[in-house]
Amino acid sequence: MAQPDPSRTELEADPDVTTALTDGTGNCDTLPVVHTTKSDPALTAATADTDSPSIDGTAISDIPLTEEPTNSGAAPPDLTAEADPAMTEGTADTDLVPRESVNYAPTPEIFENGVSSPEQVPTFVRNVHQRLTASVTPEEKLLMEFLRVTDEHPADVVFTLLRCAPSCDRAAATLWRTITSSGRTVEKVLPKLLRVMENWPWLSMSTSDGDETHVFALAATRVIWEILQVLRGPEPLKKYSPHLLVDLLFQISISPEQTPEEVDTLWRECQKEYDLPTNSKRFAVLTMKALLCHIECEDVVLSMEQKHGWDTLLNSDTHHYAVGLLAREMRRASSPLYYPIALGLLRLLSREKPGWELPAMAFLVEILDCPDITEWRDSVLEILSRRLWSEHTEMRRLVLRGLVVLSKAPGMADSMRSLTPSLVELLWRTDRELVGMVLSVFIKVQDRDIPISTPTALRLAEVLQPLFGHDNIHVQLLSIYLFQKVMELGVDKSKQLLKTHVIYSLLPLFFHWHDENQDVAEASRRALLCAAWLLKRRDLVKLLKTEQPWRFSECLLEKDKRRAVDYVCQALPYLESPQEPLREAALRFIGIAGRYLKGQRVELQIAIDVIEGMTPDSAAVKSLALQTQEILRVVQRPQSSPGSSSLKITSRMSRTGRLLRGAAAGGQRRTDPGNPV
């Protein structure tokens, strides 16, 4: 599989790497770890629950989210349901301001009689939070009741507590740690937190008391960090870790334009509570690294650190490269996470969520060749085809990388034939990497020897010829090979129409038969032989089979005199080829073609001027250039009048003949394998 530019992704390893959970920036923005002792009432009061779900690579779609999430602002990675804009419209801006411990009036009767209906849950949560804020030591009975209510009404508790304390103050942290102490309860709470996280910048959801105040995604991320500090064992989080990683990657990719002022205000409030990084993106990176370590993926964290992947992830211009690197490191570590993450991203791309398509595609293309993805290949092909003409060059590059991988899969060639028109147009692009990938896809599709339709064959024959002289050898080889396939697999009707294109491919292929790269030279000879067969030029076939290139020019021109001017025009650009053998071949051909240009004074003069303006060259090429110019000048001179001496005419013709024979002999000596010259 083609790899991105090492300067952008596979960054140099740093030998002085530690396993500390830094954010990868060198600033060592570390977060305080909350250690829970046996005397912590938040944990001693709660009953531990060992009924945590097992993990076997559960797909993201299996995460039990009961209500429909809503979106507002930038499009987040909603992996379970489409957003309902109606739920986020018309909300006053005053509802967006983060609030900490609003002075709700305590309701003692709730503590005495307990929560008897869902409508009482938000009031109960606010009262508990307010009582803990005012008390240094939490009451055991109160925490037990809070845990029971959370187990029965997780959505109301989560949303209300996030509204009461979005920055997760001391009292809120105690309540979240209490929830974490029960495996059964935390399993119910995590999906609710995920719903909030995936709706950036906030979720609009009404609780049982009718409160529709927005809940901040960043507040949920802050809670996930708190949970990671006290959760024991990886099992409770494994089921939800793919979803969590996707949401965290999304938050890291958020641009400043997608971050409202209310979110910045919330983060400043969070910094007042704890010594947190100045940037919320760095906090998301730290949370991601802590999550990976918690689910026993320390090797992935360390490898990303060594390759400066976390730095790359924080940079908006290189974020998608780091996401691709993360996918590769997960594969190398045989992590079961990459498959459910890929499925979540596949659903994200199928909904065309703007703002995060590039990182999602970067992750997806890295794992397309995995056996687990086989059943999704048709869906992937549809997603790739819709983005083939993206305005973003990097997106087109990723799409083509994905198509190259899919083209190698059994049974995908027929499905990809519908992309042929778009792929042909992409061959006109100047980006060598893109052109090379397009050619690779074409060749994989045509390797099944399926006949090529006439329109496709003609379009390919036109676009491929300029690539014979491409400065990238890989592109040269692929273009010459594909051109041969077009000649072989074109239907009978197209073969007749192809002849004009094939005729004008003879000379470029002949010149590249002299290429210094032996692979290019041999590919050119084979394509030239195929072209000669298609044109029914048995004379050329014989020369090619016996490998007599020095006779090819005369043989070609002898039966096609009327195209001598066109052939010379084709040869002139090769006078500036970076390869000396190609420059020599072009000079020899122009010299031989000169005798077929009698009366073409303008064309002859153009050729003379081009040769005279050639870049300074070796002595051998200079000598050949002077000979060729002299040949053309002799042909260019006007013929003598009827009264002139026949001796002068005979002398001029003899001189021209000697020059032509000398040029041809020089070519034969240089192309003779046994000649050291």
Side-chain angles (χ1 to χ4, degrees):
M1 191 188 305
Q3 295 293 327
D5 187 346
S7 64
R8 299 177 294 189
T9 55
E10 297 287 350
L11 305 174
E12 294 180 359
D14 185 352
D16 298 325
V17 173
T18 67
T19 56
L21 291 182
T22 66
D23 64 354
T25 61
N27 295 331
C28 296
D29 289 320
T30 57
L31 295 180
V33 178
V34 180
H35 298 284
T36 304
T37 63
K38 292 183 179 180
S39 61
D40 189 345
L43 293 181
T44 57
T47 303
D49 192 329
T50 58
D51 297 330
S52 299
S54 61
I55 175 66
D56 57 354
T58 305
I60 291 178
S61 59
D62 294 334
I63 296 178
L65 304 182
T66 55
E67 292 111 351
E68 291 290 317
T70 60
N71 284 339
S72 61
D78 177 4
L79 306 182
T80 57
E82 291 290 355
D84 184 3
M87 299 191 68
T88 59
E89 293 176 356
T91 305
D93 290 342
T94 56
D95 292 338
L96 304 180
V97 180
R99 296 180 292 177
E100 288 286 347
S101 303
V102 179
N103 292 322
Y104 293 101
T107 312
E109 57 269 19
I110 290 183
F111 297 133
E112 296 172 1
N113 303 324
V115 176
S116 58
S117 66
E119 291 77 13
Q120 293 179 315
V121 172
T123 302
F124 170 77
V125 173
R126 288 191 290 266
N127 286 340
V128 170
H129 177 260
Q130 187 172 357
R131 179 171 291 192
L132 287 179
T133 302
S135 174
V136 176
T137 304
E139 303 172 23
E140 179 178 339
K141 182 179 179 181
L142 181 62
L143 294 179
M144 290 290 290
E145 177 65 11
F146 175 79
L147 192 60
R148 182 192 68 79
V149 172
T150 304
D151 193 68
E152 294 179 0
H153 308 281
D156 278 335
V157 171
V158 168
F159 299 147
T160 303
L161 189 52
L162 288 175
R163 285 169 180 153
C164 292
S167 66
C168 194
D169 57 19
R170 180 189 59 81
T174 299
L175 294 175
W176 289 117
R177 290 197 296 271
T178 301
I179 291 172
T180 307
S181 68
S182 169
R184 184 180 63 195
T185 307
V186 80
E187 183 185 352
K188 294 180 179 181
V189 163
L190 281 172
K192 313 307 175 187
L193 291 170
L194 284 168
R195 289 185 53 214
V196 179
M197 288 178 66
E198 69 188 17
N199 284 273
W200 181 269
W202 46 65
L203 171 69
S204 178
M205 177 61 68
S206 176
T207 44
S208 298
D209 61 349
D211 189 354
E212 295 183 355
T213 306
H214 288 322
V215 183
F216 286 86
L218 187 58
T221 304
R222 174 69 184 85
V223 171
I224 293 296
W225 170 265
E226 195 69 34
I227 290 174
L228 287 170
Q229 308 312 300
V230 295
L231 195 63
R232 297 290 181 249
E235 293 303 322
L237 271 180
K238 275 191 173 179
K239 180 179 179 180
Y240 303 102
S241 56
H243 201 156
L244 279 168
L245 288 168
V246 169
D247 291 340
L248 289 169
L249 283 170
F250 173 73
Q251 289 189 15
I252 297 167
S253 71
I254 291 295
S255 65
E257 294 76 19
Q258 295 172 295
T259 305
E261 177 60 32
E262 293 84 359
V263 175
D264 291 332
T265 302
L266 168 60
W267 188 244
R268 287 192 292 270
E269 291 295 323
C270 291
Q271 288 181 288
K272 291 179 182 178
E273 297 290 336
Y274 298 100
D275 183 20
L276 299 178
T278 56
N279 189 313
S280 61
K281 286 187 177 184
R282 291 179 179 175
F283 176 70
V285 169
L286 288 172
T287 305
M288 178 183 293
K289 292 162 73 174
L291 174 61
L292 287 170
C293 289
H294 191 84
I295 57 177
E296 302 174 343
C297 290
E298 294 91 343
D299 290 347
V300 175
V301 175
L302 181 60
S303 183
M304 286 284 288
E305 196 85 51
Q306 290 173 334
K307 296 173 181 178
H308 305 284
W310 303 118
D311 284 328
T312 310
L313 195 64
L314 284 167
N315 189 320
S316 58
D317 294 331
T318 59
H319 176 79
H320 59 285
Y321 296 126
V323 174
L325 176 62
L326 180 63
R328 292 195 295 279
E329 295 307 322
M330 284 184 172
R331 284 193 61 179
R332 289 172 186 164
S334 300
S335 170
L337 290 173
Y338 74 82
Y339 176 66
I341 289 176
L343 291 186
L345 296 177
L346 189 60
R347 295 186 181 94
L348 180 69
L349 288 168
S350 67
R351 296 171 186 172
E352 298 190 3
K353 298 283 188 181
W356 208 60
E357 290 190 340
L358 194 61
M361 187 67 73
F363 190 101
L364 192 61
V365 297
E366 296 294 344
I367 49 86
L368 283 182
D369 59 339
C370 296
D372 297 337
I373 306 297
T374 303
E375 60 183 302
W376 300 96
R377 281 173 180 160
D378 289 333
S379 299
V380 172
L381 179 59
E382 181 183 351
I383 288 171
L384 295 177
S385 62
R386 288 204 304 265
R387 290 162 178 81
L388 192 57
W389 282 102
S390 169
E391 295 180 358
H392 200 300
T393 303
E394 197 60 33
M395 175 61 81
R396 289 199 304 272
R397 187 185 70 84
L398 290 171
V399 167
L400 286 169
R401 280 188 60 201
L403 291 176
V404 170
V405 176
L406 287 183
S407 67
K408 300 175 183 178
M412 289 302 297
D414 290 340
S415 302
M416 298 180 70
R417 291 178 66 82
S418 61
L419 297 178
T420 297
S422 296
L423 292 172
V424 171
E425 294 304 316
L426 283 174
L427 286 174
W428 291 106
R429 301 297 175 116
T430 57
D431 189 310
R432 69 173 67 181
E433 186 182 9
L434 293 184
V435 171
M437 287 190 287
V438 172
L439 291 171
S440 296
V441 173
F442 261 122
I443 288 172
K444 288 295 180 183
V445 172
Q446 298 304 331
D447 270 349
R448 296 189 59 204
D449 292 344
I450 300 174
I452 302 175
S453 65
T454 298
T456 301
L458 294 175
R459 192 67 174 141
L460 278 172
E462 178 186 5
V463 72
L464 288 173
Q465 287 191 38
L467 300 177
F468 295 168
H470 202 278
D471 59 358
N472 183 276
I473 293 176
H474 181 64
V475 172
Q476 277 186 288
L477 287 169
L478 293 179
S479 61
I480 294 170
Y481 177 77
L482 184 57
F483 187 78
Q484 181 179 339
K485 280 288 186 181
V486 170
M487 292 187 287
E488 293 172 348
L489 300 177
V491 296
D492 291 338
K493 180 181 177 182
S494 64
K495 286 183 179 180
Q496 292 300 318
L497 298 173
L498 270 174
K499 284 188 176 180
T500 301
H501 292 292
V502 173
I503 287 171
Y504 286 107
S505 73
L506 293 174
L507 200 57
L509 290 172
F510 167 68
F511 289 148
H512 287 290
W513 187 9
H514 298 76
D515 201 283
E516 293 174 343
N517 184 286
Q518 292 303 308
D519 292 331
V520 174
E522 179 57 24
S524 300
R525 189 192 68 81
R526 289 197 300 266
L528 200 53
L529 184 60
C530 183
W533 276 115
L534 189 145
L535 297 173
K536 299 179 180 179
R537 292 289 302 267
R538 297 183 183 278
D539 53 340
L540 297 179
V541 171
K542 182 178 179 181
L543 292 176
L544 289 163
K545 285 187 173 182
T546 56
E547 298 194 14
Q548 301 180 56
W550 57 89
R551 293 183 53 197
F552 186 89
S553 300
E554 290 184 359
C555 192
L556 175 65
L557 290 164
E558 186 62 33
K559 290 190 177 181
D560 209 359
K561 301 179 181 67
R562 60 192 179 88
R563 288 194 174 92
V565 173
D566 295 334
Y567 286 145
V568 169
C569 291
Q570 275 190 295
L572 290 176
Y574 285 88
L575 296 178
E576 292 298 330
S577 170
Q579 296 188 30
E580 184 172 317
L582 269 65
R583 296 195 298 273
E584 289 183 349
L587 283 169
R588 288 194 298 271
F589 180 85
I590 293 171
I592 294 171
R595 63 182 175 179
Y596 298 97
L597 299 180
K598 291 179 181 179
Q600 307 286 339
R601 293 180 57 82
V602 175
E603 289 77 6
L604 286 165
Q605 188 58 48
I606 290 173
I608 292 170
D609 292 342
V610 172
I611 295 172
E612 190 172 354
M614 285 178 64
T615 305
D617 216 322
S618 66
V621 175
K622 283 182 181 179
S623 175
L624 186 57
L626 291 173
Q627 290 183 49
T628 305
Q629 281 182 292
E630 185 61 25
I631 291 170
L632 298 181
R633 290 193 178 100
V634 169
V635 176
Q636 188 185 38
R637 290 172 190 160
Q639 295 185 4
S640 303
S641 60
S644 300
S645 170
S646 60
L647 182 61
K648 291 182 178 181
I649 296 175
T650 303
S651 175
R652 183 186 306 161
M653 292 178 65
S654 299
R655 185 179 180 190
T656 302
R658 287 195 303 273
L659 289 169
L660 287 171
R661 286 192 295 273
Q668 179 176 350
R669 287 194 299 272
R670 289 185 177 277
T671 54
D672 185 353
N675 192 324
V677 179

